[in-house]
Amino acid sequence: MPQDPLPLSPPADIPARNVGRSLLQWFDSAAATAAASDAEADRVDWLRVLPFVLLHLGCLGVLWVGVSPFAVLVAGLLYAVRMFAITGFYHRYFSHRAFRTSRPLQFVFALVGAASVQRGPLWWAAHHRHHHRHSDSLDDPHSPRHGFWRSHMGWFLTRRAFATDLSRVPDLARYPELRWLDRYDVAVPLAMAVGLYVLGALLERAAPGLHTTGPQLVVWGFFVSTVVLFHATVTINSLSHRFGSRPFATTDDSRNNLWLALLTFGEGWHNNHHFYASSARQGFRWWQIDLTWYGLRLMAALGLVRDLKPVPAWVLAKAER
């Protein structure tokens, strides 16, 4: 049954004593505290999510900085690199351990994933593992059975969703470098934004023919690219449990959707994934385009990752023709 709409409370309703804590959480996620009640836990913490709101408003900067082919190219490249980081690293590696790598590369994967501005690797994996255990039940925070907007973005704006439950990721929590990156998850995005500004400022002087500037690269490479990346990623929560085919009889509402698979580099083969989540491959058939799988195969050939878990023959035999 659908839940009541996500309760919203305006900033004025936030007690003054919580303002400082909410602001601190912008920089240190360990400052999160438990909500006093379930009702409070499910309310949007407007002060804490203000940076998320500003991220979207930052896209309006295109009206002032203009556009150049180079800026659009940078935005596109950052979308592709970070989508691969979310799908290949945050999802298939950290959440499902579908392949293996070295500890230094594990940290590199986490760094690139953190640049996606979708919180830290432990937070992402912990929530995703919880989703698989409770998919499309009352305990699944982003099931579309609770409503489109709640599944698309409302769920993670609440106090309940903010903290990282380390009990869900004990295999990852033993690495202090991952815990640091998870705690200070804003560090990498800020560094990326500064780097884009510096690059644009340098190119404005060194290569004026590119017609780009520091502010322009920040707006297109950081704000626009990140917002598009975010909304593309979360369509797997809000849309792939609603639209598509179901070759596997799972207990949830997951579906395969070609268009979402193209948008998210293979994540749209979601019914496949929910039936057998351990595989590094989500496009189980040769014709099911899975760009992340192709990238992981290339990385394996280069010796960067190993032991990619395949799709067993018995899984393919279970699919309904």
Side-chain angles (χ1 to χ4, degrees):
M1 296 291 293
Q3 291 187 339
D4 293 335
L6 187 68
L8 304 179
S9 56
D13 290 344
I14 300 175
R17 63 180 179 275
N18 291 334
V19 171
R21 184 178 296 114
S22 294
L23 296 177
L24 181 60
Q25 290 174 43
W26 291 3
F27 308 98
D28 182 359
S29 64
T33 57
S37 65
D38 284 345
E40 182 183 351
D42 286 328
R43 285 192 171 92
V44 173
D45 185 346
W46 286 107
L47 278 177
R48 184 185 65 76
V49 303
L50 182 59
F52 179 74
V53 176
L54 295 177
L55 182 68
H56 286 71
L57 293 178
C59 296
L60 297 176
V62 299
L63 300 175
W64 287 272
V65 302
V67 62
S68 68
F70 184 78
V72 174
L73 175 63
V74 169
L77 287 175
L78 284 174
Y79 174 91
V81 169
R82 294 185 295 167
M83 179 60 80
F84 181 81
I86 288 293
T87 61
F89 305 152
Y90 267 26
H91 187 202
R92 304 188 198 191
Y93 178 74
F94 288 113
S95 298
H96 293 292
R97 311 297 271 173
F99 58 91
R100 300 173 65 192
T101 191
S102 65
R103 184 170 177 176
L105 279 177
Q106 174 181 265
F107 184 62
V108 172
F109 294 169
L111 280 174
V112 182
S116 302
V117 201
Q118 294 186 24
R119 301 291 306 278
L122 306 189
W123 180 91
W124 208 102
H127 277 286
H128 190 72
R129 292 179 184 183
H130 180 80
H131 161 67
H132 272 267
R133 292 190 187 100
H134 305 282
S135 186
D136 288 323
S137 73
L138 288 176
D139 291 324
D140 181 357
H142 52 69
S143 170
R145 293 183 183 181
H146 307 326
F148 172 80
W149 286 112
R150 185 183 181 95
S151 66
H152 192 74
M153 55 190 287
W155 69 275
F156 81 91
L157 302 178
T158 64
R159 292 188 64 181
R160 185 188 301 279
F162 183 75
T164 301
D165 187 344
L166 295 180
S167 68
R168 300 172 185 169
V169 286
D171 53 321
L172 305 175
R174 63 192 182 97
Y175 297 104
E177 65 273 23
L178 295 184
R179 291 201 307 273
W180 186 93
L181 195 60
D182 198 74
R183 177 174 180 176
Y184 302 105
D185 52 40
V186 73
V188 175
L190 284 178
M192 184 180 74
V194 171
L196 285 168
Y197 182 88
V198 171
L199 175 62
L202 290 175
L203 290 176
E204 184 179 14
R205 292 174 174 270
L210 293 177
H211 305 291
T212 194
T213 64
Q216 186 184 77
L217 283 195
V218 171
V219 169
W220 284 94
F222 184 76
F223 290 108
V224 174
S225 180
T226 300
V227 167
V228 173
L229 174 71
F230 168 79
H231 288 288
T233 302
V234 295
T235 60
I236 302 304
N237 298 338
S238 58
L239 300 181
S240 68
H241 284 246
R242 286 296 189 208
F243 305 103
S245 61
R246 286 178 49 81
F248 294 100
T250 59
T251 58
D252 53 57
D253 300 329
S254 59
R255 285 163 164 74
N256 285 348
N257 188 302
L258 169 63
W259 303 110
L260 294 181
L262 294 175
L263 187 67
T264 60
F265 291 10
E267 301 294 289
W269 306 115
H270 205 53
N271 180 244
N272 290 357
H273 175 61
H274 268 266
F275 184 78
Y276 189 77
S278 298
S279 175
R281 180 177 185 175
Q282 295 192 13
F284 288 178
R285 306 290 182 179
W286 67 266
W287 47 267
Q288 292 179 330
I289 299 171
D290 186 350
L291 296 180
T292 298
W293 168 247
Y294 309 150
L296 292 175
R297 286 288 301 272
L298 177 60
M299 293 179 69
L302 296 174
L304 300 175
V305 300
R306 63 187 184 278
D307 300 335
L308 298 176
K309 294 181 181 178
V311 182
W314 70 265
V315 170
L316 298 177
K318 285 281 188 179
E320 298 177 2
R321 301 286 181 175

